[in-house]
């Protein structure tokens, strides 16, 4: 059985969506994340095991390779697509409560900023690691973050910014969130953001890449 889970992990790692998918070329004609996830469920493997011992294992490998510049954005997007295709089979088990999510993570690109490619990658990696993600989109204002935090109790929140002119908005957003929800944990990231900046604005965590954020979030619930 662990062989089947390893194969699922491999499909995620290399972005093999389904049998018909031509990518990656060396896996052409083979079953992908879609067929293998269905097969595992049909053989009685629990959705929880498929998630934690198959899909998440593959996603973690992608995250590490991306951090080390061994793969790039297009490969990560293929992995995310393979993951979301497999997740369609697991969704009913999530909804029934049989599969436990690690927690909720709210993310948005801050007010004034329309860049969303990095934020979307972060969302996909966090979701692929077993978290429920609430994506507020781009140009998200303090009151929108606060409203989402009130709606999703105990959620973690992440702010993304790509411009030096918008990263300053992280400070007022962080303050507003902490005023409204004093226990809130705010993580920040994006190309111009640094850990020094994070300290100055009173946020709780800085991650330079999606894998760093996943590691931070996982450490909070371990
Ligand atoms: Co813009 N842009 N852009 N742009 N753009 C940059 C960011 C810029 C560096 C280009 C340059 O001048 N060299 C520059 C910013 C300069 C600065 O402030 N330091 C810039 C500018 C100036 C602008 C405009 C002002 C241009 C203009 O109109 N005059 C304008 C602003 C619009 C606005 O937001 N209000 C603008 C517009 C745009 C487009 C719309 C054309 C487009 C965005 C499309 C989109 O996102 N849907 C765009 C793009 C594509 C870029 C570049 C080329 C690429 C950004 C990107 O997607 N990178 C960028 C130059 C560059 O980076 N080479 C540039 C890939 C992405 C995977 O990386 O987003 O860094 P990144 O995310 C990473 C990490 O940062 C991290 O994980 C991701 C994966 O590793 N991360 C987090 C991100 N968020 C995180 C959150 C976390 C943790 C990690 O925790 C919460």
């Amino acid at each position: 059985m662990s062989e089947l889970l390893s194969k699922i992990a491999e499909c995620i790692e290399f972005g093999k969506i389904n049998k018909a998918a031509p990518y990656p070329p060396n896996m052409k004609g083979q079953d992908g994340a879609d067929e293998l996830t269905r097969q595992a469920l049909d053989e009685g493997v629990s959705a929880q095991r498929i998630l934690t011992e198959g899909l998440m294992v593959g996603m973690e490998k992608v995250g590490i390779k991306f951090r080390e510049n061994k793969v790039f954005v297009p490969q990560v997007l293929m992995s995310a697509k393979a993951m979301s295709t497999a997740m369609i089979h697991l969704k009913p088990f999530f909804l029934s409560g049989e599969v436990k999510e690690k927690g909720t993570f709210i993310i948005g690109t801050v007010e004034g900023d329309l860049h969303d490619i990095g934020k979307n990658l972060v969302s996909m990696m966090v979701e692929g690691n077993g978290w429920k993600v609430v994506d507020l989109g781009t140009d998200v204002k303090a009151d929108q973050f606060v409203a989402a935090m009130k709606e999703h109790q105990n959620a973690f929140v992440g702010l993304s910014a790509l411009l030096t002119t918008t990263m300053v908005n992280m400070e007022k957003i962080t303050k507003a969130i902490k005023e409204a929800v004093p226990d809130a944990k705010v993580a920040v990231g994006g190309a111009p953001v640094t850990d020094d900046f994070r300290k100055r604005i009173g946020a709780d965590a800085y991650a330079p890449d999606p894998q760093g954020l996943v590691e931070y979030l996982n450490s909070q619930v371990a």
Side-chain angles (χ1 to χ4, degrees), residues 66 112-118 121 159-160 162-164 189-191 207-208 210:
F66 185 54
D113 202 319
L114 302 176
H115 295 84
D116 67 358
I117 298 168
L121 277 178
L159 316 180
S160 178
L162 260 285
L163 300 170
T164 44

Side-chain angles (χ1 to χ4, degrees), residues 47-60:
Q48 184 74 58
R49 277 192 74 199
I50 297 172
L51 180 70
T52 53
E53 296 175 37
L55 304 174
M56 279 162 57
V57 170
M59 213 51 172
E60 190 185 0

